[in-house]
Amino acid sequence: MSCDNSTNIFLLGLVSGMTSDIRSESSDQRPRMTFAYVFSVTLLTLFGLVSNIFSFDTFRQIQIRSTTVGIYLIAYSCCSIFGIIMLECRLIRMLDSLDYTGSFIICNVVSGLASIFTRICVWLNGLIGLQRSLQSFEATALLNQIRSPSAAIKQIIFIVICVPLMHVHELISRVSLPDPLLPGNYICQIKYSPPLLLLNTIFSFTHIFAPFTMYMLANCLILTSISRRRAILHQRLYWSEWRSNFRRHRHLFVAPTVALICILPQLILTLKFSCVNISLKWLLRLNTAANLIIYIPQAATFFLFIFTSEAYNDVFRRQSNLRRLLCYRFRMQNTIQPIQMTRNQTRTEL
């Protein structure tokens, strides 16, 4: 059975899926659907911007930025901010008056950048775990060189170069096509040839499972190193110490687990359903939701790395300039101003 690519859900971009869902509704339901989608994306964007701005202000403190992990966290916050902004810019595609040039820019440039920044954040997540594990080993000349700030900057530059190169096939395959539901408008599709589809599947699995495996193995190495030293020092059973340290450092597993949970649904849907018509509304909306939750790890930087960490949370409470500013304004607004009495009122009181 042939597949009509012009109405295939899994060839549509995030916002094109939203617009297809809106335009297939009756005219009285379209404003509600539009508001629901725009509100959801804008709320996620605002939440992400606030979260990452507070995170950046915390990570730039000397206590954190002087470490190799701190450099990665600063880069993660910056890439998350850019990715979240690109997500909001993609809503421009929902304008009915958007011409082909505007559609082409949003589809091929803005959407592509949003995807690239998301993958960069996933890889930085893995490198954060790797650097944390390296800090738990005894210092050697090679280890000191690998976990130095200069090496961290080089690794970030390497990731920033390699990830876009691994998205060249996607950027080439992105096209703006006439909207079958609304003549005169355009939708964004990703039309892969069979070899490029295979390449994209390989890259998708690599972008997900390589950083996740790296992070999980790194965390296990940290727990193994700490547990072995404590077991020898306190003359306790190794696995008893390992379980105890896992409970103490379980926050290290939050970021990679959340990233995997948010990315897997879209990949599973794409692999399970190769061609589905947009008339199947529940699957269209499920795919749109799966494409949207991919951005949650970028938006929740503060809660993944600062709120769950006692050390970073302490730096935020004690040194964050933004937190001080908010606390100062809050105290000023809640300060009871003294009542200024006039001269006549003063005489009356006397």
Side-chain angles (χ1 to χ4, degrees), residues 2 13 37 85 148 165 172 183 227 240 245 257 262 283-284 287 297 301 309 326:
S2 61
Y37 280 129
I85 292 174
S148 65
L165 290 178
I172 294 174
S227 301
S240 176
N245 283 291
T257 303
C262 292
L283 195 53
L284 171 62
N287 182 62
T301 303
S309 171
L326 288 178

Side-chain angles (χ1 to χ4, degrees), residues 33-69:
M33 294 292 299
T34 303
F35 174 79
Y37 280 129
V38 172
F39 179 78
S40 300
V41 175
T42 304
L43 183 64
L44 180 62
T45 301
L46 292 176
F47 171 75
L49 289 176
V50 173
S51 170
N52 281 284
I53 289 172
F54 274 102
S55 299
F56 178 82
D57 185 56
T58 304
F59 297 146
R60 73 180 185 86
Q61 302 303 322
I62 184 65
Q63 185 176 342
I64 299 179
R65 75 169 186 266
S66 60
T67 65
T68 306
V69 175

Side-chain angles (χ1 to χ4, degrees), residues 116 119-120 123 158-167 207:
I116 288 171
R119 298 289 172 76
I120 289 176
W123 279 101
F158 179 77
I159 292 297
V160 170
I161 293 175
C162 285
V163 172
L165 290 178
M166 296 175 73
H167 280 76
H207 286 308

Side-chain angles (χ1 to χ4, degrees), residues 54 57-59 61 63-64 302 306-328 331:
F54 274 102
D57 185 56
T58 304
F59 297 146
Q61 302 303 322
Q63 185 176 342
I64 299 179
F302 181 87
I306 297 177
F307 184 77
T308 57
S309 171
E310 184 177 346
Y312 291 161
N313 199 13
D314 185 65
V315 173
F316 168 72
R317 287 186 287 104
R318 294 178 181 272
Q319 302 180 30
S320 173
N321 295 325
L322 289 177
R323 183 182 182 277
R324 291 175 184 174
L325 178 63
L326 288 178
C327 290
Y328 174 76
R331 286 195 299 267

